[in-house]
Every structure is written in C-alpha cells, then in structure tokens.
Amino acid sequence: MKRALPLLVSALLLACCQQVQQPAQPKPAPAKPAQPAEDVAEEVEAVVEVPKGDINPLDIPGKKREGYKNPYPKGSYEYFVAKPAYPRTMAVFEDNALLNRISAANSKLVICIPQQRARLYIDGRVAYDWPVSTGRDGHETPTGVFRILEKEKNHHSNRYGKFISSGGKVANSNADLANGTPKGMTFQPSSMPNWNRLTLDGVGVHGGRVVAGERLSHGCIRSPYDVAAKFYEYSVVGLPVYVSRAVEDYNRGGAVKPIDVKYRPKPGNDYTDTVPTPPKQ
C-alpha cells in the first residue's frame, strides 16, 4: 500500500500537466443572422448607378445590367425614361400642368421612329410621352418637319379600310382603294378618331391599334385611343411636328440631328429650329 501511493500521485500530476499544456480550442463564432432578402436586393441594386452628368436619359446605357438602379427621383420624367422597359413599353408619362400651357409658339411634337415614341415638348420640357406605331415596311411614315394643318374628331380614311361582300361579310380587312373596288364589294373606310392632319396626302396623328416598339400603320402615326383623345383636346393647328429617325437630345430641349429629313434647315442649325411654311391648300 505504501509503494502504490507514490505511483498514484505521480500519475495524477502527469495528467494535470498534460491538460495544462494542451492549447485551448477556439470557441465557434456565433451564427450571423440571415440578412433579409429585401436588404440583399437593395445592397446589390446600389452597386451600379448611372451618373447623372451629361447622360441623356432618353438613351441611357446599361439599363439591362444586373444591379441597375434608377438614379432619378420617382415621379420625374427622367425616372420614367430611365426605367429598364423604356422605350418599348405602353406606359405613358403626362404632366397636366405643362399641358395646360400648350401653344403653337412654345410647343412641339417629336415622333422618334427608332424608339416608336411620341414626345410633346412644352417650354423645352416633356409634357406628354407615349408609344406610337408608325408606317410599316413599304408604307413608311415620311420624315421631316410638319405642322398640324387641321383637326377632325371623327375622321375616316379615304383609301384604307375593309371590303364587304354582298352577304355582309368582311372579304378583305386590309383593303386599299388604290387598286379599285372588286366587283360586288362595298368599301368600309377605316376610322381614324381624333385626327391631326400633317400632310395633304393623308398622313396624320390619330387613334388606332398600337403595339410597343412595332411599326404597323400605312404611314400615319397611330396613338393608343385614350392617348389620342387627350392629345386631341390639347393640340392646336400650327403645332410643329418633327418626324425623325434620330433620338432627340432631351438635355437640349428635344433637339434632334437632321437625319433623313424631308425639309432641310439652314446650314449650321438643327432642323428643329426651322419649320417650313405649310403648303397652300
């Protein structure tokens, strides 16, 4: 018994030393609470911002990039056109306070063929922006500078419409009187409500079927029916209308380059600065 006691004490001392020398294991870090999905989206969204500077919001780059953030205040026209879906959207922007100040002297309507948008500028600012459908291939809308020559609430085409058979059925829903009326048929002209005439040969702005970004007409500038009705209320005879294959520069009050225009301006001027005299009746 006396011999066993020292051996037991030695074993206990050795075990204690081993425990002291063993490095302490690090404690696991507390689990980080999961970040709400909305916060993650906001954090990613803030990565890509478009500088305001001299960038034209009508043609803003990078809107389709992941993390894009609209840099403009909500409700502003800049915010409207900086949305990723613009310009190929049926959305409409309107500023009623500006619309009430319209006149032939302080306003102009710009039809942008590549974007298929109409923009009404009043005092250098956009008061109304809406989708249009201009002339399709073979029936292109003429480009150039025009004026509204006349207005008619319930206008009908004198060339395009439908051919109706003797039995009352539609034989041709896309009829063209240029080739005459087939025997036994009657002609039903297409309705062009809220008509604003631009040319003597039948080009105008009116209500009709519109598909965002698509050219569908026989040369006229179709607007959604409700938009056409509102524009008709405010439009005035003599209002300048610019039909262009260029995208106007919103930062300069809607000036556009003289690309593919019917009426050329004086050298050194944007064609938006020159409006031709309406043709004689």
Side-chain angles (χ1 to χ4, degrees), residues 92-97 99-100 102 120 127-128 130 151 153 193-194 196 207 223-236:
V92 174
F93 175 86
E94 54 190 271
D95 184 328
N96 291 312
L99 284 171
N100 288 324
I102 190 172
L120 177 62
Y128 213 8
W130 69 90
K151 298 174 55 174
K153 187 68 177 175
N194 299 296
N196 293 267
S223 302
Y225 288 104
D226 57 336
V227 175
K230 183 164 185 174
F231 176 66
Y232 184 88
E233 292 179 14
Y234 288 94
S235 65
V236 293

Side-chain angles (χ1 to χ4, degrees), residues 33 39 50 66 85 95 98 102 135-136 155 165 212 256-257 261:
D39 292 344
V50 178
E66 183 178 358
D95 184 328
L98 267 179
I102 190 172
R136 61 178 184 261
H155 182 74
S165 68
V256 292
K257 298 176 182 178
V261 296

Side-chain angles (χ1 to χ4, degrees), residues 16-274:
C16 291
C17 291
Q18 288 178 345
Q19 288 181 1
V20 171
Q21 292 174 358
Q22 186 176 3
Q25 296 295 327
K27 294 183 180 180
K32 188 177 181 180
Q35 193 173 6
E38 292 182 359
D39 292 344
V40 173
E42 288 180 1
E43 186 174 300
V44 173
E45 190 180 45
V47 172
V48 180
E49 288 199 23
V50 178
K52 297 180 182 179
D54 295 329
I55 287 182
N56 184 349
L58 298 180
D59 199 21
I60 201 168
K63 293 197 295 183
K64 300 297 183 182
R65 290 184 297 177
E66 183 178 358
Y68 167 76
K69 180 181 179 181
N70 194 322
Y72 299 99
K74 290 185 178 180
S76 67
Y77 179 64
E78 290 84 355
Y79 182 87
F80 176 76
V81 298
K83 291 180 179 180
Y86 186 90
R88 196 181 176 93
T89 173
M90 293 299 291
V92 174
F93 175 86
E94 54 190 271
D95 184 328
N96 291 312
L98 267 179
L99 284 171
N100 288 324
R101 287 155 44 187
I102 190 172
S103 73
N106 72 349
S107 308
K108 63 184 173 185
L109 176 64
V110 178
I111 307 299
C112 180
I113 289 181
Q115 292 185 328
Q116 290 293 287
R117 301 293 299 189
R119 301 182 185 99
L120 177 62
Y121 289 84
I122 300 177
D123 291 331
R125 296 165 54 199
V126 176
Y128 213 8
D129 180 328
W130 69 90
V132 296
S133 285
T134 61
R136 61 178 184 261
D137 291 346
H139 296 275
E140 288 84 356
T141 301
T143 57
V145 189
F146 309 91
R147 286 186 184 272
I148 293 179
L149 301 177
E150 66 176 2
K151 298 174 55 174
E152 186 179 348
K153 187 68 177 175
N154 298 302
H155 182 74
H156 290 80
S157 174
N158 58 9
R159 177 174 175 177
Y160 299 107
K162 301 175 182 177
F163 286 141
I164 310 297
S165 68
S166 57
K169 294 184 178 180
V170 176
N172 185 348
S173 61
N174 192 29
D176 185 349
L177 279 182
N179 300 319
T181 304
K183 188 176 180 180
M185 300 283 181
T186 56
F187 177 70
Q188 179 180 315
S190 294
S191 175
M192 298 178 171
N194 299 296
W195 167 258
N196 293 267
R197 179 184 292 277
L198 302 184
T199 72
L200 295 179
D201 59 355
V203 176
V205 181
H206 64 82
R209 176 174 173 264
V210 173
V211 176
E214 294 188 18
R215 298 181 293 116
L216 303 173
S217 79
H218 287 102
C220 283
I221 300 155
R222 292 185 190 172
S223 302
Y225 288 104
D226 57 336
V227 175
K230 183 164 185 174
F231 176 66
Y232 184 88
E233 292 179 14
Y234 288 94
S235 65
V236 293
V237 171
L239 179 74
V241 179
Y242 304 91
V243 183
S244 175
R245 296 185 186 278
V247 177
E248 68 266 32
D249 184 354
Y250 176 76
N251 293 326
R252 294 191 299 127
V256 292
K257 298 176 182 178
I259 297 177
D260 188 27
V261 296
K262 187 175 180 181
Y263 303 101
R264 293 289 177 181
K266 295 178 181 179
N269 292 341
D270 287 323
Y271 80 84
T272 49
D273 297 332
T274 305

